[in-house]
Each structure stands twice: as C-alpha cells, then as structure tokens.
Amino acid sequence: MLKIIACFKWVIDEQDIRVDQKSRELIMERVGYKISDYDRNAIEEAVRQQEAHGGSVVAVTVGPPGARQSLKDALSRGPERAWFISDPSFAALEPSQTAAILAEAIKTKGEFDLIICGEGSSDLYAQQVGPALAQRLGIPCATYVNKVTLEPGEKKLTAERKLDDGIETVSIQLPALITVLPD
C-alpha cells in the first residue's frame, strides 16, 4: 500500500489583485486565496496514483493561521487526511524555510513512499521547495515530471521529464519526491 504525501501552498488568487491607478501600487484588500494551480496538479496526481495502486494520500501545507481554510479545499480533492503546519511567523517564508519545516514534519509524522509537489507555486514560482525537501530527507528527486508510472511491487517509479530540449525518462527508487508540471 503506497503512502503518498502531496504538498501544496495557499496563495493569493491572481484574479483579485488590483492596481491603484494613481500610485500604481497593488491593492491587497479583499483578495481571496486558493491552492496554487501547480499544487492542485500535485494533489490530483497523488489521488490518481492512489486510485491506481491503493494506499493513502495526505495533503500537507505550511502557513500562517489564516491559511487553515485551505484544508477544506485540499480534502475536497480526494486526500483522506491533511496536515496543517502553522505559526504566525510563517506568513512570508522563503522556499528553504518551507522545505525545512516540511522535512521536520514529515520525519516526525512517519513513513512515506512518494512525495509529490507542484513544479513551482503560482505566486513565486521559485521551483526550489521540492528539490530542497528531497535533499533534506535524503531521497531521490525528479523534477519537471509530466508522466509518472509507479511500480509498487518493485518500489520504484519511472518518470518522464519534460525538458527544454526534449523528454527524458528516469527510473528512481522509492521513497522519492517528484515535482509535477501543469500537464
């Protein structure tokens, strides 16, 4: 039975951002929040793999207390459980800080076979949390994944990576982390 973790970030909904015509500054009052578009793909892929191979999916996020509402959205997409790691100081974390917090939580909570992250987040698109998290956990990582095939009996996966100059196919042992593209 596969144990899958899908990481996600709660971000400002771009549709709600307005610009003051005089000052040209962003108007951040009354903005809504949502799960990053890239991270919705991570949750969707985790649930897809669970449906194909059995097991469980846990959605996990790090954020300030106000981001707690993201759990309902994440759980409505199929995971059985969600972890919300929160502190008021988590309002503006750098990717390395987010990876460190996630790594500690994952180490504390128990074992896993696969961690799936979005390639980046729709606010910063730094593309650093996934690889930094894998490094902190000491597990292999495949980035830019657009197709994944799990071979649970063999405890490995095959990933197609979409690169600038073509498609690369890699095989890595589980436990592992992948970052998925929007497609």
Side-chain angles (χ1 to χ4, degrees):
M1 297 276 274
L2 286 171
K3 295 178 183 169
I4 304 170
I5 296 173
C7 299
F8 70 95
K9 185 175 184 183
W10 194 239
V11 297
I12 292 173
D13 190 338
E14 305 89 18
Q15 295 181 77
D16 294 340
I17 297 174
R18 303 287 179 256
V19 177
D20 182 282
Q21 296 301 316
K22 292 180 183 179
S23 68
R24 299 278 187 213
E25 291 184 16
L26 297 177
I27 301 170
M28 301 303 285
E29 301 146 10
R30 292 180 280 177
V31 295
Y33 288 81
K34 65 178 185 175
I35 293 175
S36 169
D37 294 336
Y38 300 98
D39 295 331
R40 281 191 298 212
N41 293 328
I43 294 170
E44 181 181 331
E45 184 60 30
V47 171
R48 185 178 304 139
Q49 292 300 328
Q50 177 210 21
E51 289 170 351
H53 303 287
S56 62
V57 175
V58 175
V60 61
T61 191
V62 174
R68 185 171 188 81
Q69 61 187 322
S70 68
L71 297 180
K72 184 177 179 181
D73 189 2
L75 289 169
S76 74
R77 297 174 187 281
E80 296 88 27
R81 297 179 295 139
W83 302 338
F84 178 54
I85 306 151
S86 179
D87 188 273
S89 67
F90 294 171
L93 295 174
E94 295 292 324
S96 63
Q97 294 169 308
T98 301
I101 294 165
L102 285 170
E104 286 306 310
I106 290 168
K107 287 177 189 175
T108 301
K109 295 280 188 174
E111 79 181 63
F112 60 90
D113 297 300
L114 179 62
I115 299 173
I116 304 177
C117 299
E119 185 57 40
S121 60
S122 55
D123 59 351
L124 297 177
Y125 201 68
Q127 301 173 299
Q128 296 176 12
V129 172
L133 177 57
Q135 188 273 329
R136 287 184 173 275
L137 294 172
I139 60 173
C141 176
T143 57
Y144 303 105
V145 173
N146 68 341
K147 182 179 179 185
V148 62
T149 305
L150 281 168
E151 300 163 30
E154 298 179 38
K155 286 289 207 179
K156 72 176 189 176
L157 67 81
T158 302
E160 281 188 11
R161 302 178 65 227
K162 191 174 185 179
L163 306 174
D164 288 338
D165 58 349
I167 301 289
E168 174 184 62
T169 302
V170 297
S171 181
I172 56 178
Q173 290 296 125
L174 299 177
L177 183 146
I178 61 171
T179 64
V180 294
L181 292 171
D183 50 331

